[in-house]
Amino acid sequence: MVKKWMVILVACVLLTACGLGEKKETASKTEAASDEKKANVSETEKATNEKEASASTAETDEPEQPLKTFDELTPEELKIPTVPMESPYGEDGNFKHVHTDKELARDFTDENNMIRFNLDEDPVRIMRTGNIDNVMNYSDTFIDLSENLSYKLQDPEEIEIAYQLFIDHPPVQLQGKEGIEYRSWEEATNMERGIIQMTILLSVPMNYLQYAIEQDEYDTEQFKTAQAEFRRIGDPMVLFPSPQTPLDYELYESIRTVHALWGKLGLYQKPEQDKEEFKALYDQTRQEVNNLFARVNYTLSEE
């Protein structure tokens, strides 16, 4: 698990380092800096691997396996890890749990003023407001309703590193600002947690697509697998964590945009014939993910 995490972490750092501003000027500088580093990706990964392997060996006396570069990844390693869960539907085909909005607030709000269910507690529920039924996801993960799967980081150490990665990279509006205090992972909303986990889990196929575009490799099994993962996560049946705060609703609009772009990447037909258009779509998706990364850092700094 540590080996897999380090591959994901290195890829995520390559994706997000310096590219967290929402201004076009900042984005341009980010891409320029990224271009300068592309020639040294393998060396960077090798150095990171040696450092982490050394630290891990000191702690466990078990040597780490070398990290793989993008050209060495297998199709299986490009697949996003998922966690199976029970169907939210009962034997009659309807959702198992139906609550009024008042019942949910009264019976299930926790000490952080959040409604949150674990995956084994049927987090997908109906919230009935008057005559309107809303399908709500009260977990902190993205859930595929068609496959009964959750996109979740399972190791507490991975979650800690992922959260720290987000708060260590503030957007341009907060850089250099003193006295910023971030809410903890326990205090983060379901929406914030879900976006953090999904961004990390998608970092490997996201970065692999850039590698494939640069190498003009569109006919490999790795490319087909990476694109299929975006088709899967971009499916309309994938349910985001339901927003519960004003800032959540702002993030919800952002993740809707990113989710649609994921789907377009996955469904794009014959990218090898429309290379420039596909690259433009990828670049747009990457920038929106970076912007979302920055917005989560911002919302975590707000009470």
Side-chain angles (χ1 to χ4, degrees):
M1 180 60 72
V2 173
K3 173 189 172 184
K4 179 181 290 187
W5 166 251
M6 286 311 303
V7 172
I8 293 173
L9 180 58
V10 168
C12 187
V13 170
L14 291 174
L15 169 65
T16 58
C18 304
L20 306 178
E22 298 185 36
K23 297 181 180 179
K24 292 183 179 179
E25 180 182 357
T26 304
S28 177
K29 291 179 180 178
T30 298
E31 294 303 323
S34 177
D35 290 341
E36 292 177 2
K37 294 180 180 179
K38 285 172 185 173
N40 297 319
V41 167
S42 296
E43 288 78 4
T44 301
E45 291 176 348
K46 181 178 179 181
T48 303
N49 171 61
E50 291 175 351
K51 179 180 179 181
E52 295 297 331
S54 176
S56 178
T57 302
E59 293 178 0
T60 66
D61 295 325
E62 296 180 5
E64 289 290 323
Q65 296 296 320
L67 291 179
K68 293 186 176 182
T69 55
F70 289 121
D71 60 320
E72 298 173 322
L73 292 175
T74 66
E76 192 65 27
E77 289 170 323
L78 287 165
K79 292 182 178 180
I80 308 167
T82 57
V83 177
M85 53 184 295
E86 290 188 12
S87 170
Y89 304 102
E91 294 181 359
D92 59 359
N94 296 317
F95 285 95
K96 297 176 185 176
H97 301 283
V98 180
H99 312 273
T100 67
D101 50 357
K102 292 181 180 179
E103 288 173 342
L104 282 165
R106 182 192 66 212
D107 298 337
F108 299 107
T109 301
D110 64 16
E111 65 275 9
N112 293 312
N113 202 31
M114 185 68 46
I115 300 171
R116 180 179 291 145
F117 294 103
N118 295 324
L119 293 180
D120 59 359
E121 297 176 322
D122 294 325
V124 179
R125 304 191 175 214
I126 292 293
M127 181 180 72
R128 180 165 292 165
T129 305
N131 295 322
I132 300 176
D133 286 355
N134 296 295
V135 181
M136 308 293 284
N137 172 8
Y138 286 115
S139 78
D140 62 359
T141 69
F142 286 54
I143 292 175
D144 186 338
L145 288 178
S146 63
E147 299 292 337
N148 297 323
L149 295 173
S150 168
Y151 294 90
K152 178 178 177 60
L153 292 174
Q154 300 181 64
D155 190 323
E157 182 181 358
E158 294 178 358
I159 292 174
E160 181 180 351
I161 296 173
Y163 169 77
Q164 197 65 40
L165 184 66
F166 266 74
I167 66 173
D168 282 347
H169 293 83
V172 291
Q173 296 91 332
L174 298 181
Q175 289 176 7
K177 188 176 180 180
E178 298 181 358
I180 298 176
E181 294 186 4
Y182 291 95
R183 285 178 284 114
S184 66
W185 174 262
E186 289 72 24
E187 296 168 325
T189 68
N190 293 341
M191 178 69 74
E192 291 164 336
R193 288 189 184 187
I195 291 173
I196 289 173
Q197 294 182 84
M198 197 70 252
T199 302
I200 298 300
L201 290 169
L202 267 176
S203 62
V204 171
M206 186 75 185
N207 282 276
Y208 178 80
L209 283 186
Q210 176 172 319
Y211 167 81
I213 290 170
E214 292 169 353
Q215 300 300 316
D216 198 24
E217 295 182 357
Y218 298 94
D219 59 350
T220 65
E221 287 302 314
Q222 286 86 343
F223 181 85
K224 294 174 183 177
T225 298
Q227 194 176 18
E229 289 303 285
F230 282 97
R231 185 163 60 248
R232 185 159 66 111
I233 190 58
D235 190 278
M237 290 299 287
V238 171
L239 194 62
F240 321 141
S242 296
Q244 298 186 51
T245 70
L247 289 174
D248 270 357
Y249 281 96
E250 294 181 17
L251 290 175
Y252 181 75
E253 293 304 316
S254 297
I255 192 59
R256 284 181 62 189
T257 298
V258 172
H259 184 252
L261 290 170
W262 287 339
K264 288 181 180 180
L265 278 177
L267 292 170
Y268 200 96
Q269 299 294 316
K270 300 181 179 179
E272 70 280 2
Q273 295 182 12
D274 300 296
K275 296 177 183 179
E276 291 303 316
E277 185 175 312
F278 183 76
K279 181 179 184 302
L281 175 60
Y282 172 83
D283 289 343
Q284 180 187 4
T285 304
R286 181 186 179 107
Q287 187 57 49
E288 289 296 337
V289 170
N290 287 343
N291 291 343
L292 183 60
F293 190 110
R295 290 185 185 112
V296 171
N297 179 289
Y298 180 82
T299 61
L300 284 169
S301 69
E302 296 289 313
E303 292 295 335

